[in-house]
Amino acid sequence: MSAHNEHPSQANGTVSNDEICRALEVVHDARSPNPIRQKASEYLEQINSDEQAPYHGFTLAADRSQAAVVRHYGLSLLENAVRHRWVDYSVEQSTMLRDWELSLAQTIADDDPFYIRTKIASVWVEIAKRSWALDWMDMDERLVRLWGGSLASKELVLTILETLSEDVFGHEDTAAGLRGTDLNSACVDIFTPVSVLLEHFPSRATSINVRYGDEGWLSRMADLLELCIATEGDNKPEKACAVKILAAVEVLYYLYNHARFSDEDFKHVVGPMYMHDTVNLLQRLYEWSCVDATEIDEERYLLSKKLSEMIYHIGRLLDERPGLIPFDSGLDSFLRLLIQVARNNSLQVSITALHVWVKILGSDTLASSSTVTSLIGELLEVCSQRVIKYEALPDDSPNPSIIFLNEDLDTMPERHAFLGNYMRFCKTIVERIVQQQPADALYHILGQAEQVITHLYDGELAFNVQTYSKTSVPFLRLDAQCSVVEAALKGSVKWLTGQGGGSVGHEQEVVMQNLKVWCERILGLHFEDPMVKERVIQLAVGFATGPLKRDTKFASTVFEYILNVQFRDDPGFPTYSEAVKDLQGLCIHELQRLAMRFADYLITIFDDIERKITQVIQDASHDEHVRSRYYSILFIITHRATTVDPGPRQERLELFLQPLVTQWQKDELTNSLASFDSFCELLGCGGIQQYVSQRALHQIPDWSTHPLDDEGKALRIQMLDAVERLPLRATKIFLAASVEKLEQKSAAHELACRLWEKDIPLILPNLLRSISLAHAFHDPVNWKCLPPEMSVVVRKILTDRFWQVGISTGSRDEFYAKVGDTKHTIEGLASSVRATVRAVRETGYKILCYMSLLGEHFYSYEELPGPLSQALFTDAYALSTHQMAVMVETIRPVIETCPVASRSHFLPPILAALFEQLDHKASTEWDKIERRTRESEGRVSLDEEMRDESILRQMTYTAVMLVVGLLDPHRLNPPGPGMSDGSAINGLPHVEHGNVRSFILSTPEILKPLILFCTHTIRMRDSRSCSLITRVLGSLVPEFDAGGEIDTEVREFISTEVLKACITSLHDSYFVDLQKDLAQLIASILLNYVPRSGTPKQILLSLPSMPPDKLDRAVQQLYKAHQNTRQQRAIVLDLLESLRGVSVSEQGRMSKPDASKVRSAIQERYMTVDVQAEGKEKEATPDLGGVADMFGRP
């Protein structure tokens, strides 16, 4: 047909291809001035709305003489037309668009860039979702004809099939969702061989015929896979195509597994993946894909990573239905392949195999099979070798795994998270192996560990304080072995717990005796390195509290060993001195743990322990904090021993506490807390303002390079001494000793309540004043001796330096080394100021938490909530985002453990003030981030921007998790009087009292600021928090569809402000990945509130291009799709299509992707901090709404 008059896109107009090419050249030329580049970008954006856009897109994409960037832009124009204007085209116009796409697909070539081929496939899929099985019936035939072409054509077909499958079954795709089950059924038709459909689904309805040929794509893929892998030599195109097939097949198998296949269907579709021939093909492909770390072939390495993921999914299916694997399968070969992949020097390749082994060893069916047990030795060897601190090795290490890590991971936070998950998998495997084969596994592990520990310095320089390093090779060797042994101890505990009977009892006794002898032998060795001593002590306590927990004499031996550890400090060598202090802190902590666990035995040798501790405390080098911690050991033993006469015990315990309470009551302390200036003097900070002003610190750019003068050094020492004189730390220590790890209503807990009941009202007044003033310290307004222009110095002084996984760059050791190096500089002085105030602030929070564990003895004070709320929140706005997050996380237990009887008077003032402050802080800081991003123009470093935004995300998420916890409908009430599990109070059922969610929803004082915070969170640029909040609000919407006054007010607020926030975020391209969550919340508002209020429709009708009849049709469709949430979301997204934000890729902005840095979903998952190693995680499954009946089943 003639193109000139048939399509409006081809009419003569002002846009020309030459102009488009020139604009693209300007945009992608680094030398182009910003204003000109901006104008060119705007011009290219405007073309999308031009009627000629599809025609220009096709002619540009089809012109192989054009640069790839031009062809890609042309394809983007076509894709945009299909996505956003398809419904406006006539049959002739849509047919022409489809013909253009078919023409482009037929001319694809091997030398076309990856992103061009992918874009052609994307346009095909967009058309298919809108017209296939409606007016386009020969798509399958077109695909089959392409399949007969070059490898590039085959890869294009595979990409189309994979993308179409994901959009139809897995992704939240609007176009596919609106088609209901039509596309589901059509996909099944073309993928599945006719013979399978006739045999297993004879009654399945097939009203239309969309398939071409009887084979189906599963058969075609399998045939090509075998052909490709059988190809001799290093034929990269064939190998790449083979991996592409595997990826496509994996998607289909994954989806089919969740599509309610019967057991027979599963055997037919998935079973062949475990047969000898298939496993052999996989192994040959894997071996071909392996690369050497010193010479990484990027294409081959990408294949290796993709293949390891494919093997992971095959293994996951094995774990899900192990009983369906055929007897004649090549399961043993597949498991050997898993071992082979686990050995790969690339940890990113290896981790998927380890993850599968975690699942296999957690399966009762698989773990005990002879096939698995025969490979245990090899697997144990692999994991034992990999449990090392890779992050402690230098970046230029010749270790192949480090070379691969440098290739795969760009940032330290990603590396920390990934290595944490890798280590957890290794340790879990060791644990499960020991649980199943304790005697043999422990013999091997303990023998190997002893060999390393007794030869730590073989081939290394002898220990030397002067050259001390926390990452020395000997320490890393020992640390790795200790980690393996600790994992083995967990496994042995589980084995011992699950055993019983005569003969087994003997085996238990033998194992326990061997463990005891081994540990005593290690404790008999001499170690000079304080960090080595630290790991040995941790390990010994693991033995005492783990498999040997019934051997009280052994625990006493470990206790005595720790108590006698010598701390030979040498301040002349800071790194060594710091390690000694860490060792001392660890020793006290482990002594406290042992005291809690073995108090009944330790009380029998109490006099000896008291004598030894008294001797240790008399050491002049110990500060008051260390002395209090040692005294707490005696307190714990006395408090928790059950054999002591109650009367004398309480009197003795009160003697420990009386000095603390006396300190809190002193007039000197009360007077020092009467004003901000006297509080500063109390902390030793009285002269800091004058020092800052006189030294003009605002004019010194880098404080870490400016040495402290004598006055500065004196100030620093003064602050350190002042903190030691305060009763805060000692109070926290003895409160922790009183309540930690105690069951409510236990004898020890009742005793703790009696001990502290009369002291709490004596401590609280000055404690709350301390917290309040510590918060006020962060407000520059209170630094009255400084001029306003120096307020920036106050913020700099009080901005915490901290190390945290996922935020900080560099390792933890590097961070603390840097802090130590600046101790005697102005930065060191600033660090002392913030450490002093932080100690008051955070110790105060912890004291409140420990007091809350005393239950009604804390919450029942009627006068407490007001002063507590004022102390915590009046000046909380002055805290940094990190400090605010710490406050919320630390005081969260105070809120969540509030007894039912105290809710009405305790929670309203606390939660109302908290959410007002959180809303103000989060909203203000997100506004600052966005404003700085717009205005900085390079003045703020990218690292600083990313760090600040990461910290803000964490604070936002911390606040959101508090909301999630409070509004959890399944949350039980905390224990109260007469309650042991929170399920009842005073003999009445739990439900009659309602949980905290019910209380909040019926308390406007709390509900209003909480919902306001949630509403604002929808606009905050943190995907995780926004997603959670939309679900929380979605759960609240049905709660307010009644006619009460509160219901009406909240319903109208949600119908206006929440709905507006959702629409605004839906329009923002940042929230593209959250559009399904936003759409679901909008759908919930419409479904629940339109019958009762006209407000939701009024808001939507106020939007541009929103005809009333279109809105009415959408609402009616929502009612019809009431049980299908996926279709509800699709209806809303279609309704608001013209307002939806689009991703950068949809905008047509193309930059050549670095294929080596493109990560799959599973790779991204391993980069997160919270991947569970235990194999109990819930797999991320697609919402298959409508797939249940795609085979004609109910």
Side-chain angles (χ1 to χ4, degrees), residues 809 818 929 932-933 935-950:
T809 58
K818 184 178 180 180
I929 289 284
R932 187 171 70 178
T933 301
E935 300 173 356
S936 64
E937 296 182 356
R939 290 192 297 272
V940 181
S941 71
L942 182 60
D943 284 347
E944 185 179 341
E945 280 192 29
M946 292 177 64
R947 183 202 64 205
D948 291 348
E949 192 164 338
S950 293

PDB file of all heavy atoms in Angstrom, residues 809 818 929 932-933 935-950:
ATOM      1  N   THR A 809      32.191   3.911  53.197  1.00  0.00           N
ATOM      2  CA  THR A 809      33.207   3.406  52.281  1.00  0.00           C
ATOM      3  C   THR A 809      34.393   2.932  53.109  1.00  0.00           C
ATOM      4  O   THR A 809      34.614   3.401  54.223  1.00  0.00           O
ATOM      5  CB  THR A 809      33.668   4.509  51.310  1.00  0.00           C
ATOM      6  OG1 THR A 809      34.174   5.611  52.072  1.00  0.00           O
ATOM      7  CG2 THR A 809      32.523   4.975  50.441  1.00  0.00           C
ATOM      8  N   LYS A 818      41.537   5.616  60.921  1.00  0.00           N
ATOM      9  CA  LYS A 818      41.499   7.034  60.537  1.00  0.00           C
ATOM     10  C   LYS A 818      41.079   7.899  61.714  1.00  0.00           C
ATOM     11  O   LYS A 818      41.641   8.976  61.957  1.00  0.00           O
ATOM     12  CB  LYS A 818      40.544   7.224  59.367  1.00  0.00           C
ATOM     13  CG  LYS A 818      40.499   8.646  58.833  1.00  0.00           C
ATOM     14  CD  LYS A 818      39.560   8.743  57.632  1.00  0.00           C
ATOM     15  CE  LYS A 818      39.516  10.171  57.089  1.00  0.00           C
ATOM     16  NZ  LYS A 818      38.601  10.279  55.932  1.00  0.00           N
ATOM     17  N   ILE A 929      17.757  17.647  50.321  1.00  0.00           N
ATOM     18  CA  ILE A 929      18.465  16.790  49.365  1.00  0.00           C
ATOM     19  C   ILE A 929      18.096  17.170  47.933  1.00  0.00           C
ATOM     20  O   ILE A 929      18.964  17.334  47.060  1.00  0.00           O
ATOM     21  CB  ILE A 929      18.122  15.306  49.619  1.00  0.00           C
ATOM     22  CG1 ILE A 929      18.782  14.816  50.917  1.00  0.00           C
ATOM     23  CG2 ILE A 929      18.563  14.437  48.441  1.00  0.00           C
ATOM     24  CD1 ILE A 929      20.254  14.547  50.846  1.00  0.00           C
ATOM     25  N   ARG A 932      19.479  20.634  47.062  1.00  0.00           N
ATOM     26  CA  ARG A 932      20.929  20.612  46.864  1.00  0.00           C
ATOM     27  C   ARG A 932      21.295  19.940  45.546  1.00  0.00           C
ATOM     28  O   ARG A 932      22.228  20.356  44.858  1.00  0.00           O
ATOM     29  CB  ARG A 932      21.616  19.886  48.024  1.00  0.00           C
ATOM     30  CG  ARG A 932      23.125  19.978  47.971  1.00  0.00           C
ATOM     31  CD  ARG A 932      23.745  19.435  49.240  1.00  0.00           C
ATOM     32  NE  ARG A 932      23.596  18.004  49.351  1.00  0.00           N
ATOM     33  CZ  ARG A 932      24.092  17.278  50.350  1.00  0.00           C
ATOM     34  NH1 ARG A 932      24.741  17.882  51.343  1.00  0.00           N
ATOM     35  NH2 ARG A 932      23.923  15.977  50.385  1.00  0.00           N
ATOM     36  N   THR A 933      20.538  18.906  45.199  1.00  0.00           N
ATOM     37  CA  THR A 933      20.789  18.229  43.927  1.00  0.00           C
ATOM     38  C   THR A 933      20.573  19.176  42.757  1.00  0.00           C
ATOM     39  O   THR A 933      21.332  19.169  41.783  1.00  0.00           O
ATOM     40  CB  THR A 933      19.861  17.008  43.786  1.00  0.00           C
ATOM     41  OG1 THR A 933      20.097  16.119  44.888  1.00  0.00           O
ATOM     42  CG2 THR A 933      20.125  16.278  42.484  1.00  0.00           C
ATOM     43  N   GLU A 935      20.742  22.513  42.869  1.00  0.00           N
ATOM     44  CA  GLU A 935      21.531  23.747  42.904  1.00  0.00           C
ATOM     45  C   GLU A 935      23.038  23.545  43.050  1.00  0.00           C
ATOM     46  O   GLU A 935      23.797  24.487  42.856  1.00  0.00           O
ATOM     47  CB  GLU A 935      21.053  24.611  44.077  1.00  0.00           C
ATOM     48  CG  GLU A 935      19.578  25.000  43.986  1.00  0.00           C
ATOM     49  CD  GLU A 935      19.085  25.704  45.237  1.00  0.00           C
ATOM     50  OE1 GLU A 935      19.891  25.808  46.197  1.00  0.00           O
ATOM     51  OE2 GLU A 935      17.915  26.131  45.264  1.00  0.00           O
ATOM     52  N   SER A 936      23.459  22.319  43.398  1.00  0.00           N
ATOM     53  CA  SER A 936      24.875  22.128  43.744  1.00  0.00           C
ATOM     54  C   SER A 936      25.807  22.366  42.569  1.00  0.00           C
ATOM     55  O   SER A 936      26.825  23.028  42.690  1.00  0.00           O
ATOM     56  CB  SER A 936      25.099  20.722  44.296  1.00  0.00           C
ATOM     57  OG  SER A 936      24.829  19.761  43.299  1.00  0.00           O
ATOM     58  N   GLU A 937      25.465  21.815  41.390  1.00  0.00           N
ATOM     59  CA  GLU A 937      26.283  21.948  40.192  1.00  0.00           C
ATOM     60  C   GLU A 937      27.747  21.630  40.482  1.00  0.00           C
ATOM     61  O   GLU A 937      28.658  22.351  40.100  1.00  0.00           O
ATOM     62  CB  GLU A 937      26.168  23.361  39.623  1.00  0.00           C
ATOM     63  CG  GLU A 937      24.765  23.701  39.138  1.00  0.00           C
ATOM     64  CD  GLU A 937      24.679  25.080  38.529  1.00  0.00           C
ATOM     65  OE1 GLU A 937      25.706  25.808  38.561  1.00  0.00           O
ATOM     66  OE2 GLU A 937      23.610  25.438  38.025  1.00  0.00           O
ATOM     67  N   GLY A 938      27.950  20.527  41.205  1.00  0.00           N
ATOM     68  CA  GLY A 938      29.310  20.060  41.415  1.00  0.00           C
ATOM     69  C   GLY A 938      29.982  20.603  42.656  1.00  0.00           C
ATOM     70  O   GLY A 938      31.112  20.234  42.971  1.00  0.00           O
ATOM     71  N   ARG A 939      29.282  21.513  43.400  1.00  0.00           N
ATOM     72  CA  ARG A 939      29.936  22.086  44.589  1.00  0.00           C
ATOM     73  C   ARG A 939      30.020  21.069  45.721  1.00  0.00           C
ATOM     74  O   ARG A 939      30.858  21.190  46.603  1.00  0.00           O
ATOM     75  CB  ARG A 939      29.171  23.328  45.050  1.00  0.00           C
ATOM     76  CG  ARG A 939      29.295  24.507  44.101  1.00  0.00           C
ATOM     77  CD  ARG A 939      28.755  25.778  44.753  1.00  0.00           C
ATOM     78  NE  ARG A 939      27.344  25.684  45.049  1.00  0.00           N
ATOM     79  CZ  ARG A 939      26.394  26.013  44.175  1.00  0.00           C
ATOM     80  NH1 ARG A 939      26.720  26.421  42.969  1.00  0.00           N
ATOM     81  NH2 ARG A 939      25.120  25.923  44.504  1.00  0.00           N
ATOM     82  N   VAL A 940      29.122  20.105  45.734  1.00  0.00           N
ATOM     83  CA  VAL A 940      29.141  19.049  46.753  1.00  0.00           C
ATOM     84  C   VAL A 940      29.622  17.765  46.096  1.00  0.00           C
ATOM     85  O   VAL A 940      29.177  17.402  45.012  1.00  0.00           O
ATOM     86  CB  VAL A 940      27.734  18.845  47.352  1.00  0.00           C
ATOM     87  CG1 VAL A 940      27.763  17.765  48.412  1.00  0.00           C
ATOM     88  CG2 VAL A 940      27.213  20.155  47.935  1.00  0.00           C
ATOM     89  N   SER A 941      30.547  17.078  46.760  1.00  0.00           N
ATOM     90  CA  SER A 941      31.098  15.868  46.169  1.00  0.00           C
ATOM     91  C   SER A 941      30.023  14.803  46.053  1.00  0.00           C
ATOM     92  O   SER A 941      29.094  14.736  46.854  1.00  0.00           O
ATOM     93  CB  SER A 941      32.254  15.337  47.023  1.00  0.00           C
ATOM     94  OG  SER A 941      31.770  14.797  48.229  1.00  0.00           O
ATOM     95  N   LEU A 942      30.168  13.965  45.027  1.00  0.00           N
ATOM     96  CA  LEU A 942      29.190  12.904  44.797  1.00  0.00           C
ATOM     97  C   LEU A 942      29.164  11.944  45.976  1.00  0.00           C
ATOM     98  O   LEU A 942      28.090  11.500  46.395  1.00  0.00           O
ATOM     99  CB  LEU A 942      29.535  12.161  43.505  1.00  0.00           C
ATOM    100  CG  LEU A 942      28.572  11.047  43.102  1.00  0.00           C
ATOM    101  CD1 LEU A 942      27.167  11.607  42.894  1.00  0.00           C
ATOM    102  CD2 LEU A 942      29.066  10.364  41.836  1.00  0.00           C
ATOM    103  N   ASP A 943      30.334  11.617  46.536  1.00  0.00           N
ATOM    104  CA  ASP A 943      30.390  10.715  47.687  1.00  0.00           C
ATOM    105  C   ASP A 943      29.606  11.272  48.862  1.00  0.00           C
ATOM    106  O   ASP A 943      28.891  10.549  49.557  1.00  0.00           O
ATOM    107  CB  ASP A 943      31.845  10.476  48.103  1.00  0.00           C
ATOM    108  CG  ASP A 943      32.559   9.527  47.157  1.00  0.00           C
ATOM    109  OD1 ASP A 943      31.873   8.873  46.350  1.00  0.00           O
ATOM    110  OD2 ASP A 943      33.798   9.452  47.218  1.00  0.00           O
ATOM    111  N   GLU A 944      29.746  12.584  49.088  1.00  0.00           N
ATOM    112  CA  GLU A 944      29.043  13.211  50.207  1.00  0.00           C
ATOM    113  C   GLU A 944      27.540  13.186  49.970  1.00  0.00           C
ATOM    114  O   GLU A 944      26.757  12.904  50.886  1.00  0.00           O
ATOM    115  CB  GLU A 944      29.535  14.649  50.366  1.00  0.00           C
ATOM    116  CG  GLU A 944      28.952  15.352  51.590  1.00  0.00           C
ATOM    117  CD  GLU A 944      29.472  16.775  51.746  1.00  0.00           C
ATOM    118  OE1 GLU A 944      30.526  17.086  51.143  1.00  0.00           O
ATOM    119  OE2 GLU A 944      28.833  17.556  52.467  1.00  0.00           O
ATOM    120  N   GLU A 945      27.122  13.474  48.741  1.00  0.00           N
ATOM    121  CA  GLU A 945      25.691  13.432  48.421  1.00  0.00           C
ATOM    122  C   GLU A 945      25.125  12.040  48.631  1.00  0.00           C
ATOM    123  O   GLU A 945      24.051  11.867  49.225  1.00  0.00           O
ATOM    124  CB  GLU A 945      25.474  13.862  46.971  1.00  0.00           C
ATOM    125  CG  GLU A 945      25.486  15.367  46.753  1.00  0.00           C
ATOM    126  CD  GLU A 945      24.972  15.735  45.372  1.00  0.00           C
ATOM    127  OE1 GLU A 945      24.141  14.982  44.841  1.00  0.00           O
ATOM    128  OE2 GLU A 945      25.400  16.761  44.843  1.00  0.00           O
ATOM    129  N   MET A 946      25.843  11.034  48.132  1.00  0.00           N
ATOM    130  CA  MET A 946      25.365   9.663  48.259  1.00  0.00           C
ATOM    131  C   MET A 946      25.312   9.239  49.713  1.00  0.00           C
ATOM    132  O   MET A 946      24.383   8.561  50.140  1.00  0.00           O
ATOM    133  CB  MET A 946      26.269   8.732  47.453  1.00  0.00           C
ATOM    134  CG  MET A 946      26.170   8.918  45.955  1.00  0.00           C
ATOM    135  SD  MET A 946      27.319   7.875  45.054  1.00  0.00           S
ATOM    136  CE  MET A 946      26.707   6.246  45.477  1.00  0.00           C
ATOM    137  N   ARG A 947      26.310   9.655  50.499  1.00  0.00           N
ATOM    138  CA  ARG A 947      26.319   9.289  51.920  1.00  0.00           C
ATOM    139  C   ARG A 947      25.144   9.919  52.644  1.00  0.00           C
ATOM    140  O   ARG A 947      24.422   9.252  53.394  1.00  0.00           O
ATOM    141  CB  ARG A 947      27.634   9.751  52.552  1.00  0.00           C
ATOM    142  CG  ARG A 947      27.775   9.357  54.030  1.00  0.00           C
ATOM    143  CD  ARG A 947      28.765  10.250  54.732  1.00  0.00           C
ATOM    144  NE  ARG A 947      28.288  11.619  54.762  1.00  0.00           N
ATOM    145  CZ  ARG A 947      29.084  12.678  54.864  1.00  0.00           C
ATOM    146  NH1 ARG A 947      30.379  12.537  54.903  1.00  0.00           N
ATOM    147  NH2 ARG A 947      28.564  13.911  54.894  1.00  0.00           N
ATOM    148  N   ASP A 948      24.937  11.227  52.436  1.00  0.00           N
ATOM    149  CA  ASP A 948      23.839  11.916  53.124  1.00  0.00           C
ATOM    150  C   ASP A 948      22.494  11.314  52.744  1.00  0.00           C
ATOM    151  O   ASP A 948      21.610  11.144  53.595  1.00  0.00           O
ATOM    152  CB  ASP A 948      23.861  13.408  52.782  1.00  0.00           C
ATOM    153  CG  ASP A 948      25.065  14.119  53.383  1.00  0.00           C
ATOM    154  OD1 ASP A 948      25.737  13.510  54.229  1.00  0.00           O
ATOM    155  OD2 ASP A 948      25.335  15.271  52.989  1.00  0.00           O
ATOM    156  N   GLU A 949      22.342  10.988  51.451  1.00  0.00           N
ATOM    157  CA  GLU A 949      21.071  10.417  51.018  1.00  0.00           C
ATOM    158  C   GLU A 949      20.877   9.021  51.585  1.00  0.00           C
ATOM    159  O   GLU A 949      19.767   8.639  51.966  1.00  0.00           O
ATOM    160  CB  GLU A 949      21.002  10.394  49.489  1.00  0.00           C
ATOM    161  CG  GLU A 949      19.614  10.081  48.972  1.00  0.00           C
ATOM    162  CD  GLU A 949      19.439  10.440  47.504  1.00  0.00           C
ATOM    163  OE1 GLU A 949      20.194  11.286  47.001  1.00  0.00           O
ATOM    164  OE2 GLU A 949      18.539   9.855  46.868  1.00  0.00           O
ATOM    165  N   SER A 950      21.954   8.247  51.672  1.00  0.00           N
ATOM    166  CA  SER A 950      21.855   6.900  52.253  1.00  0.00           C
ATOM    167  C   SER A 950      21.451   6.956  53.716  1.00  0.00           C
ATOM    168  O   SER A 950      20.627   6.168  54.188  1.00  0.00           O
ATOM    169  CB  SER A 950      23.195   6.168  52.116  1.00  0.00           C
ATOM    170  OG  SER A 950      23.494   5.896  50.780  1.00  0.00           O
TER     171      SER A 950
END
